[in-house]
């Protein structure tokens, strides 16, 4: 029996988990990714952790890339995109290492990717009970409205860290994925949209963090709106980047 299109794509997909001091959660996340998506490969980018994140990830079955110091999610993901190209993966899925994303939903992102270059797992699209409030929520709503216009499609969760990237966008992001604060979400969408990438979303459910502490506490949330708007302004000021197909070995 021939493999299904999704099974074939899973074999050419690399799941990338940027991780900073996530030894309490990353092992189970890796195990769940591999268990719920047979045939998929997983790379944990240890972003300068001071705990045993790298060791736990490796023992769970992931490939591990260790950075000597923390460079942020954007830099870790750019490493992941380059690793994908160098090792013949045509698709990259970003998953948080804290257990909040459900790896069983990866096939839904891959299915939507059949007609797109970038697919977001949207937390505010009618699935699950995730919610945000205050300045952080206001920023999410405003960003979604603006970026929906930039992308030419309705987007409700433009800061989602659960996303699937197809071959053309993998090549684009390997060279141009931004590393600034919020660049890995806001600016990356602007870069993709203005380069001609097709962007879509699918509804996903968020789960409670499995371990560690949230990256945004109430004090930091008060500055989120301003930073998000600055990231968007700088992204729109930069010239568009030409989209090239590059070379990816589909194995």
């Amino acid at each position: 029996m021939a493999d299904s299109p999704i099974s074939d794509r899973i074999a050419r997909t690399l799941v990338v988990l940027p991780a900073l001091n996530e030894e309490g959660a990353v092992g189970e996340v890796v195990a769940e990714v591999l268990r719920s998506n047979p045939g998929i490969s997983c790379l944990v980018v240890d972003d300068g952790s001071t705990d045993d994140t790298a060791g736990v990830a490796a023992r769970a079955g992931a490939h591990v890339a260790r950075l000597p110091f923390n460079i942020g999610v954007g830099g870790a993901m750019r490493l992941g995109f380059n690793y994908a190209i160098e090792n013949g993966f045509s698709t990259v899925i970003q998953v948080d290492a804290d257990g909040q994303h459900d790896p069983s939903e990866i096939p839904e992102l891959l299915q939507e990717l059949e007609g797109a270059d970038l697919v977001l797992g949207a937390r505010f699209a009618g699935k699950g009970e995730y919610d945000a409030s205050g300045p952080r929520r206001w920023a999410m709503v405003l960003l979604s409205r603006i970026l929906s216009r930039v992308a030419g499609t309705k987007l409700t969760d433009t800061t989602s860290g659960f996303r699937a990237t197809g071959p053309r966008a993998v090549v684009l992001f390997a060279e141009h994925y931004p590393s600034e604060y919020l660049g890995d979400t806001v600016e990356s969408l602007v870069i993709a949209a203005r380069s001609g990438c097709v962007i879509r979303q699918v509804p996903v459910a968020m789960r409670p963090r499995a371990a560690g502490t949230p990256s945004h506490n109430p004090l930091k949330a008060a500055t989120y709106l301003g930073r998000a708007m600055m990231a968007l302004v700088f992204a729109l000021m930069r010239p568009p980047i030409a989209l090239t197909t590059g070379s990816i070995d589909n194995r």
Side-chain angles (χ1 to χ4, degrees), residues 13-198:
T13 294
L14 177 69
V15 175
V16 178
L17 283 72
L20 173 63
N21 296 329
E22 293 286 2
E23 67 175 7
V26 70
E28 178 53 35
V29 175
V30 169
E32 189 177 4
V33 166
L34 299 177
R35 184 171 60 245
S36 59
N37 300 277
I40 210 164
S41 297
C42 184
L43 171 70
V44 171
V45 181
D46 181 357
D47 191 15
S49 297
T50 56
D51 64 6
D52 193 30
T53 291
V56 172
R59 289 190 291 274
H63 303 284
V64 177
R66 300 191 68 175
L67 295 171
F69 48 83
N70 177 251
I71 62 175
V73 175
M77 283 305 302
R78 185 182 290 194
L79 186 155
F81 290 120
N82 279 280
Y83 181 98
I85 292 174
E86 292 168 4
N87 290 275
F89 295 100
S90 60
T91 304
V92 170
I93 305 281
Q94 179 182 347
V95 175
D96 284 353
D98 58 14
Q100 290 188 292
H101 299 150
D102 185 350
S104 69
E105 295 181 315
I106 286 175
E108 297 177 37
L109 273 68
L110 290 175
Q111 184 66 54
E112 190 69 20
L113 198 60
E114 291 296 325
D117 297 294
L118 180 62
V119 176
L120 308 181
R123 298 165 289 184
F124 309 107
K127 185 176 182 180
E129 299 179 353
Y130 180 84
D131 195 15
S133 59
R136 185 172 174 81
R137 177 58 174 159
W138 305 337
M140 288 179 172
V141 171
L142 184 56
L143 285 171
S144 294
R145 290 177 178 174
I146 296 173
L147 288 170
S148 291
R149 294 180 64 88
V150 174
T153 189
K154 183 178 181 181
L155 302 173
T156 61
D157 188 10
T158 54
T159 61
S160 173
F162 189 21
R163 50 178 66 187
T165 308
R168 296 199 307 170
V170 167
V171 173
L172 174 69
F173 287 156
E175 184 174 356
H176 299 289
Y177 205 72
S179 59
E180 297 85 358
Y181 179 74
L182 289 176
D184 58 295
T185 53
V186 175
E187 188 176 353
S188 67
L189 288 177
V190 174
I191 289 173
R194 297 180 74 192
S195 295
C197 289
V198 177

